[in-house]
Amino acid sequence: AMRVITWNCNMAFRKKADLILKYKPDILVVPECEHPGKLFFAPGSAKPSDILWFGKNQHKGLAIFAYNKIRLTVLDNHNEHFKMIIPIAVTGKKYDFNLFAIWANNPDDPDGQYVTQTWKALHYYADLLTTKPALLIGDFNSNTIWDRKYRESNHSNVVKLLEEKGILSTYHLYHKQIQGKEQHPTLYMYRHLDKPYHIDYCFASADMIKKIKSVEVGSYNMWSKYSDHVPLIVTFKNTYNIKQALPPESYA
């Protein structure tokens, strides 16, 4: 099986890493993580086979950890303008797919710092979404409830754009949820139970979608001591040896 997890750790990941490593991720995407130079893992905890990190602030960037001999390579056409949306080739073992690690947060962009980043990046990286299986995972900082009707770069349009390429939200499919009406929040603003939002996602290509084993969202009680976000944990079944993305029409 392959397990991918995203958890915005709300900084100081070094004090919290063991909590999430208990879930044995193969790939772990951690927004708001300090620079790896500041990290330390408890003796006996799994050692990453690869680590990537992006950010200006050493205390608060985007980290991607791989385990079990998986390799992470930033793709050549990485565009620095889309802060914290990173195209990565995942290889090794039986794996060969494109991963987009996402923390949609760029205060420097006057067009919009959150969902606009994802919208622009998806257009820029359009080819990478279909040449190989693709996984987009992280803190998107967006939800259909905040759609602006006359704005092209809204969450619903991002979902639609991905859907046209056969890329679907694992959570919504597995739990039979509708965008904007999610039963399981991933963010409790200011860690308040009465301010719940669903803004962390894992989208996957049609061929990966068929292999979903489970999609779990962490509980407020367990995680609110450590972060305003809870983890999203997606487990795919065995025989994970997909080399070729399918065209969207073959999804049906």
Side-chain angles (χ1 to χ4, degrees), residues 5-196:
I5 300 179
T6 182
W7 182 40
N8 181 325
C9 68
N10 201 207
M11 301 169 66
F13 185 61
R14 61 192 179 280
K15 298 176 181 171
K16 310 168 183 179
D18 284 350
L19 297 163
I20 199 75
L21 290 177
K22 278 182 191 150
Y23 293 87
K24 298 191 164 59
D26 291 289
I27 297 172
L28 174 61
V29 175
V30 186
E32 294 195 18
C33 181
E34 61 269 52
H35 186 276
K38 298 180 181 298
L39 286 175
F40 47 83
F41 296 103
S45 68
K47 294 285 173 280
S49 45
D50 232 340
I51 301 179
L52 295 174
W53 185 90
F54 301 86
K56 282 184 188 163
N57 179 342
Q58 299 289 293
H59 303 287
K60 197 175 182 180
L62 172 61
I64 306 99
F65 302 90
Y67 294 87
N68 304 319
K69 299 184 180 166
I70 293 173
R71 309 305 320 175
L72 303 172
T73 313
V74 181
L75 290 161
D76 291 343
N77 62 342
H78 173 215
N79 184 335
E80 304 274 336
H81 290 301
F82 308 121
K83 294 285 189 305
M84 307 304 182
I85 297 179
I86 316 294
I88 298 164
V90 176
T91 54
K93 230 170 151 186
K94 300 187 291 281
Y95 303 115
D96 184 14
F97 63 91
N98 290 332
L99 172 80
F100 290 84
I102 295 178
W103 179 26
N105 184 5
N106 180 10
D108 299 334
D109 190 338
D111 290 341
Q113 74 185 76
Y114 298 130
V115 70
T116 304
Q117 300 304 303
T118 312
W119 178 251
K120 286 180 175 181
L122 291 180
H123 284 83
Y124 183 82
Y125 295 123
D127 292 352
L128 295 179
L129 297 172
T130 49
T131 49
K132 279 184 183 174
L135 202 60
L136 298 88
I137 181 165
D139 178 356
F140 285 63
N141 266 315
S142 62
N143 188 292
T144 291
I145 56 172
W146 297 308
D147 279 358
R148 291 197 196 154
K149 207 164 160 188
Y150 301 107
R151 197 182 173 102
E152 202 183 14
S153 64
N154 63 31
H155 184 81
S156 295
N157 285 344
V158 161
V159 172
K160 197 170 138 203
L161 178 72
L162 289 170
E163 216 164 80
E164 284 163 4
K165 296 182 185 298
I167 299 170
L168 305 174
S169 163
T170 55
Y171 164 80
H172 291 81
L173 206 69
Y174 184 81
H175 289 283
K176 300 184 172 57
Q177 299 285 303
I178 294 166
Q179 294 281 344
K181 296 184 161 56
E182 293 84 3
Q183 284 173 1
H184 308 84
T186 66
L187 166 76
Y188 295 89
M189 193 88 84
Y190 314 119
R191 307 195 188 190
H192 292 173
L193 187 57
D194 60 353
K195 291 190 169 62

